[in-house]
């Protein structure tokens, strides 16, 4: 085993001998004023690649169908953002808004080409029933609206070292957004890889970007529409199945990328399992917020409808009553506690909080905690549902900050 070698390399006594030398150098250092940290090249580069916040303005609004609207965002120079951070096709940004005095953040996949990133992002927002943030965006965003977004994030990206050259993208409804970005990215590259898109919707009017997709003339990109209710000639009728995936596969070795609504993930998992692909060749986008945990196969019922949640933050401690089948993160937001979050599906770890006491249910499919987090009692409140009275410690202040 390599442990012996590591012990030599990580010798504590050797490490401790560094300390006096460091102290000596600090003591002998000149009293010159230290340059601002941002002026150092690595830090300046990090600020461009991973800004804490990006100030943007809505440059264009385009209604795609009855529920979905496309927003083009450009840097808000006056507010301090000159260029937008680069991203990889398949990543998302979080949009922050304040509604009724409460601050919310929601992830939206970038659907534009990564090559446009310094000047332009595009996101498509579906107005969902009861959706506080999507409703607010639809009702209030217009050309000129200023807002803050996060740096791009997410793992749903193509990696030539891991993924096959032939990709079959399975998209449902507004889940087409990251795939549109991947298609644009491929169009702009000279890569010899391919994308075959199976786009599932109820009916033709629901398919987004159809005119744009139909105009693509590139042998590397093939698109098939799968309609569950009415299918015109040349389209598939029904749902995306293993047989359909095999029918459109260009070779025996391909990666499947899946992005769609919750019910699509529930249905497609058993279909992709039939394909016998290596695990690394089945990629799923972050599942999105789990709003109906009772539909998960490993659901753990609660013995009460409500529990108490005590949140220990930097500045104070607050107790609230929370429903059993609403995630701790959503319950905190509803109570005006703005806890850190990004993906809201267990993937990014940004909401990572210590479970001081109590029991939570986390659906297995979104439990992406590291082994150490499980061992030392950390949870992801975005996909943790209380199963007893719970006390957690979060890395934020209570309130809008
Ligand atoms: S917000 Fe990403 S893991 Fe919770």
């Amino acid at each position: 085993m390599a442990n012996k070698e590591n012990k030599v390399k990580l010798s504590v006594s050797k490490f401790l001998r560094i300390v006096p030398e460091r102290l000596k150098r600090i003591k002998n250092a000149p009293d010159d004023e230290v340059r601002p940290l941002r002026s150092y090249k690595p830090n300046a580069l990090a600020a461009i690649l991973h800004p804490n916040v990006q100030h943007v303005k809505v440059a264009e609004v385009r209604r795609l169908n009855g529920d979905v609207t496309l927003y083009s965002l450009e840097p808000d120079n006056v507010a301090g953002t000159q260029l937008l951070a680069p991203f990889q096709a398949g990543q998302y940004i979080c949009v922050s808004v304040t509604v009724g005095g409460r601050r919310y953040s929601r992830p939206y996949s970038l659907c534009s080409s990564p090559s446009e990133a310094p000047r332009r992002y595009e996101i498509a927002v579906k107005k969902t029933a009861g959706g506080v943030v999507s409703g607010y965006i639809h009702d209030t965003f217009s050309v000129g609206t200023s807002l803050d977004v996060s740096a791009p994030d997410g793992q749903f990206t193509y990696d030539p070292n891991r993924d096959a050259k032939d990709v079959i993208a399975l998209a449902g409804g507004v889940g087409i957004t990251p795939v549109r970005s991947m298609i644009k990215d491929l169009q702009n590259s000279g890569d010899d890889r391919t994308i075959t898109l199976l786009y599932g919707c109820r009916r033709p009017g629901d398919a987004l970007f159809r005119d744009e997709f139909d105009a693509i003339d590139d042998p590397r990109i093939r698109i098939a529409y799968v309609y569950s209710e009415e299918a015109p000639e040349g389209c598939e009728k029904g749902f995306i199945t293993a047989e359909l995936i095999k029918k459109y596969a260009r070779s025996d070795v391909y990666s499947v990328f899946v992005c769609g609504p919750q019910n699509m993930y529930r249905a497609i998992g058993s279909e992709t399992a039939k394909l016998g692909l290596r695990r690394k060749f089945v990629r799923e986008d972050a599942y999105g917020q789990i709003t109906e945990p009772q539909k998960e196969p490993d659901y753990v019922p609660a013995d009460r409808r409500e529990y108490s949640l005590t949140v220990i933050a930097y500045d104070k401690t607050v107790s609230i009553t929370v429903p059993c089948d609403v995630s701790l993160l959503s319950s905190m937001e509803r109570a005006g506690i703005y806890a850190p979050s990004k993906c809201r599906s267990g993937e990014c770890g940004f909401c990572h909080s210590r479970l001081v006491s109590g029991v939570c249910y986390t659906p297995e499919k979104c439990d992406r905690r590291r082994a150490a987090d499980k061992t030392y009692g950390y949870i992801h409140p975005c996909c943790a549902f209380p199963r007893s009275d719970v006390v957690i410690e979060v890395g934020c202040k209570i309130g809008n900050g």
Side-chain angles (χ1 to χ4, degrees), residues 24 27 38 64 101 119 124 161 176 232 261 265 310 342 375:
K24 197 166 88 188
K27 194 171 165 220
R38 271 185 169 256
L64 298 179
R119 303 266 164 233
N161 294 319
I176 190 64
Y265 289 114
T310 301
K342 278 190 179 174
T375 304

Side-chain angles (χ1 to χ4, degrees), residues 92 329 340-352 380-383:
Y92 64 84
L329 180 69
S341 76
K342 278 190 179 174
C343 70
R344 304 181 76 86
S345 13
E347 184 190 89
C348 71
F350 203 63
C351 64
H352 177 262
H380 292 166
C382 65
C383 50

Side-chain angles (χ1 to χ4, degrees), residues 123-376:
I123 55 171
V125 179
K126 178 174 180 172
K127 187 173 185 176
T128 53
V132 178
V133 176
S134 64
Y136 178 82
I137 291 174
H138 270 246
D139 294 345
T140 64
F141 278 22
S142 58
V143 173
T145 299
S146 296
L147 64 144
D148 286 348
V149 301
S150 72
D153 209 333
Q155 310 295 322
F156 190 61
T157 55
Y158 181 82
D159 181 345
N161 294 319
R162 174 198 52 213
D163 305 317
K165 271 192 174 182
D166 292 327
V167 165
I168 299 192
L170 312 178
V174 78
I176 190 64
T177 47
V179 180
R180 180 189 187 231
S181 183
M182 289 176 189
I183 288 174
K184 282 177 172 281
D185 192 34
L186 181 58
Q187 284 180 292
N188 290 335
S189 81
D191 291 2
D192 61 351
R193 57 196 175 89
T194 71
I195 295 181
T196 301
L197 166 64
L198 301 186
Y199 187 12
C201 294
R202 278 197 186 152
R203 51 189 88 84
D206 296 339
L208 306 176
F209 309 114
R210 174 123 198 207
D211 291 349
E212 189 181 303
F213 290 153
D214 288 347
I216 293 175
D217 181 16
D218 184 330
R220 298 172 301 169
I221 299 161
R222 208 156 66 186
I223 296 169
Y225 297 91
V226 187
Y227 297 118
S228 59
E229 290 185 359
E230 48 183 90
E233 211 184 317
C235 302
E236 300 285 350
K237 175 124 185 0
F239 296 95
I240 298 172
T241 60
E243 287 67 38
L244 205 59
I245 296 169
K246 281 190 208 153
K247 176 179 166 183
Y248 282 91
R250 298 186 193 228
S251 64
D252 291 338
V253 181
Y254 53 89
S255 285
V256 172
F257 278 58
V258 188
C259 186
Q262 293 284 323
N263 54 8
M264 178 176 170
Y265 289 114
R266 280 192 281 268
I268 213 87
S270 54
E271 296 302 315
T272 52
K274 291 179 199 164
L275 299 170
L277 297 172
R278 291 176 67 186
R279 200 170 152 205
K280 68 171 186 170
F281 288 149
V282 180
R283 310 285 321 288
E284 292 180 333
D285 194 14
Y287 294 100
Q289 191 162 293
I290 301 235
T291 52
E292 297 176 301
Q294 62 278 15
K295 289 190 178 171
E296 296 306 316
D298 58 345
Y299 179 66
V300 175
D303 60 5
R304 290 190 350 229
R305 289 173 64 84
E306 293 181 329
Y307 296 101
S308 100
L309 168 66
T310 301
V311 183
I312 304 170
Y314 293 155
D315 50 346
K316 57 182 173 180
T317 297
V318 170
S319 288
I320 55 177
T321 299
V322 299
C324 63
D325 283 342
V326 174
S327 74
L328 296 182
L329 180 69
S330 294
S331 291
M332 284 192 276
E333 273 179 352
R334 289 178 191 178
I337 301 168
Y338 183 71
S341 76
K342 278 190 179 174
C343 70
R344 304 181 76 86
S345 13
E347 184 190 89
C348 71
F350 203 63
C351 64
H352 177 262
S353 303
R354 190 164 75 89
L355 181 65
V356 178
S357 66
V359 178
C360 292
Y361 155 61
T362 297
E364 193 187 341
K365 76 177 186 190
C366 53
D367 191 354
R368 311 255 179 106
R369 288 175 297 163
R370 294 171 301 179
D373 285 344
K374 291 180 186 174
T375 304
Y376 294 104

